[in-house]
Amino acid sequence: MSGNVRLLEDTLAAAKAEGRSALIAYLPAGFPTVDGGIEAVKAALEGGADVVEVGLPHSDPVLDGPVIQTADDIALRGGVRIADVMRTVREAHEATGKPILVMTYWNPIDRYGVERFTAELAEAGGAGCILPDLPVQESALWREHAEKHGLATVFVVAPSSKDARLAEITAAGSGFVYAASLMGVTGTRESVSSQAEDLVRRTRATTDIPVCVGLGVSNPAQAAEVARFADGVIVGSAFVKRMLDAPDAAAGVEAVRALAGELAEGVRGRV
């Protein structure tokens, strides 16, 4: 069975045709429970997100800040497994018809088996993977299996990336490029880094695939700011924080739905 890379590409193209950025939400699988996480992902999509990245909780995240680390710890203590991540992808995609990616560090895939992981993700209806710590020069095996199964390979670029390195990364990637707006870990911030716009400009000079910006966007005004120059606006910690701050799981799901609606207005410039 083939994955949904085409659905991802079409979704991003449709947003562009509407004259706006796509809204991409991030939520970890298994948080606060597997069932609760599935409901949260569905709520983000129903509330206005175009795409969702489902995080595969990891005990030693290098990119994630304290908010997402807290959620990952809750999911891991709850016993979340890769099978639960696949179930989250499957049920959210079946319920909404929208593209779902998995964001994961390389070690869990390497231990699970690349062929097994890509086959199962495609079978679940997944659109691809974001792989923040997989070096492009070591990615041939992954890309071979991802392409075979119709999955996007999304690499992360950073303000420190030199132009030649950007070209190497974008040539190997598919779906979109994840532009980290600043050096450091994920988290909500008072303002979005001024480095983001320059990084998008430099990245676009190397590729025709969409460039989406993450790290630091937490409210509609910031989403509108990034939407001026990026093809997609990626929001993670703000969604997770809404859930952590909610009095119960049901309220957390509704908080996610509400934030997705607010951010959807932001990427449309209605703030």
Side-chain angles (χ1 to χ4, degrees):
M1 181 172 176
S2 183
N4 275 313
V5 62
R6 178 62 59 84
L7 175 63
L8 174 65
E9 293 167 346
D10 290 349
T11 298
L12 294 172
K16 185 176 184 178
E18 292 175 18
R20 66 174 179 89
S21 280
L23 174 60
I24 303 173
Y26 166 94
L27 287 160
F31 168 71
T33 62
V34 175
D35 288 344
I38 291 168
E39 291 308 309
V41 171
K42 291 194 292 189
L45 291 163
E46 291 161 0
D50 299 288
V51 180
V52 164
E53 306 170 5
V54 172
L56 195 162
H58 193 269
S59 57
D60 186 27
V62 294
L63 187 69
D64 300 316
V67 170
I68 292 174
Q69 284 187 31
T70 298
D72 277 4
D73 186 54
I74 291 168
L76 289 167
R77 283 191 283 114
V80 70
R81 296 287 182 266
I82 287 178
D84 300 314
V85 177
M86 299 299 179
R87 182 184 153 213
T88 301
V89 171
R90 176 183 290 102
E91 294 192 14
H93 173 64
E94 286 178 351
T96 65
K98 293 187 177 182
I100 318 285
L101 299 112
V102 170
M103 185 165 187
T104 179
Y105 297 99
W106 179 245
N107 183 257
I109 294 178
D110 192 35
R111 289 170 57 190
Y112 197 72
V114 175
E115 169 60 23
R116 181 184 176 196
F117 190 94
T118 51
E120 289 183 8
L121 182 56
E123 192 274 329
C129 257
I130 300 160
L131 301 159
D133 67 340
L134 177 63
V136 168
Q137 61 270 26
E138 297 174 20
S139 68
L141 178 66
W142 164 266
R143 288 187 286 126
E144 174 192 339
H145 288 288
E147 189 171 337
K148 180 172 81 170
H149 289 292
L151 299 169
T153 298
V154 178
F155 289 114
V156 178
V157 297
S160 60
S161 303
K162 305 297 186 190
D163 290 351
R165 179 67 174 159
L166 288 176
E168 182 184 7
I169 292 169
T170 58
S174 56
F176 64 90
V177 182
Y178 187 126
S181 66
L182 41 78
M183 302 303 292
V185 298
T186 60
T188 61
R189 288 175 171 79
E190 294 301 314
S191 62
V192 177
S193 167
S194 59
Q195 296 173 305
E197 188 167 1
D198 179 62
L199 177 58
V200 170
R201 178 189 59 76
R202 292 195 299 118
T203 304
R204 279 202 178 127
T206 71
T207 185
D208 292 329
I209 66 174
V211 182
C212 303
V213 170
L215 271 69
V217 178
S218 61
N219 60 50
Q222 291 174 344
E225 179 188 347
V226 173
R228 285 189 304 100
F229 58 82
D231 298 300
V233 179
I234 303 168
V235 182
S237 294
F239 281 109
V240 176
K241 190 171 189 308
R242 290 273 182 115
M243 293 181 71
L244 286 169
D245 291 346
D248 55 55
V253 168
E254 290 314 307
V256 164
R257 190 188 309 276
L259 180 58
E262 295 163 17
L263 294 167
E265 293 291 294
V267 299
R268 289 165 172 81
R270 298 175 187 159
V271 293

